[in-house]
Amino acid sequence: MSKTIYVLNGPNLNLLGKRQPEIYGHDTLEDVERLCVAACAEGFTIRLLQSNWEGQIIDWIHEARDDGAGIVINPAALTHTSVAVLDALSAFDGPVIEVHISNVHKREAFRHHSYVSARADGVIAGLGIDGYPAAVKRVCKLAS
């Protein structure tokens, strides 16, 4: 039986490849999923999900408590605002890797703070979508 890695994507990431390509590039969530599947170690599967709704992301984190080996999360704008996402992640026992496509530290000052980082076992920022497979590899290693 394979272990599931939840790859969770927050608000506006459904527009990846279309929205602000000068910041986020031209790759899509389908490209992200392809990279994550390819990066998965044997015995692991990917469940890539995206929502513009905070509550849905929290529900998926809760679901991962039951059958998830780890979480890769790009909380997008919720990074800087959501104590609720932090609380949900804090109730998850497996590894959590936070991913940001852009280098948030080169952007507006409000983007420099992450609630999620207080729970994350690692943070990857500024590698474009290449940060996702790196995060998946790390989760596989930590969850093995």
Side-chain angles (χ1 to χ4, degrees):
M1 178 182 245
S2 67
K3 302 174 189 175
T4 302
I5 298 172
Y6 282 69
V7 180
L8 304 178
N9 292 278
N12 299 309
L13 285 165
N14 56 304
L15 300 176
L16 191 60
K18 300 174 191 163
R19 174 183 167 242
Q20 296 176 286
E22 69 281 3
I23 295 173
Y24 302 108
H26 295 281
D27 298 305
T28 66
L29 275 183
E30 291 78 19
D31 296 321
V32 169
E33 185 169 27
R34 180 181 45 77
L35 290 175
C36 289
V37 168
C40 247
E42 187 174 332
F44 290 91
T45 59
I46 294 295
R47 181 154 188 232
L48 187 135
L49 302 160
Q50 186 280 327
S51 180
N52 294 317
W53 299 93
E54 180 180 38
Q56 178 62 74
I57 291 168
I58 291 166
D59 286 345
W60 287 328
I61 294 168
H62 292 177
E63 183 180 308
R65 286 181 52 149
D66 295 330
D67 68 356
I71 295 173
V72 171
I73 185 167
N74 182 343
L78 296 173
T79 303
H80 324 291
T81 63
S82 184
V83 173
V85 169
L86 169 61
D87 288 348
L89 288 168
S90 294
F92 177 73
D93 291 331
V96 174
I97 305 295
E98 178 181 355
V99 173
H100 298 284
I101 295 168
S102 68
N103 181 352
V104 293
H105 303 289
K106 288 181 74 176
R107 298 186 63 197
E108 303 94 337
F110 74 87
R111 295 185 193 276
H112 300 177
H113 177 265
S114 168
Y115 284 102
V116 172
S117 291
R119 166 55 181 92
D121 298 295
V123 179
I124 299 170
L127 298 182
I129 67 168
D130 292 332
Y132 285 90
V136 166
K137 288 178 183 180
R138 184 67 180 153
V139 167
C140 290
K141 184 172 185 175
L142 292 173
S144 293

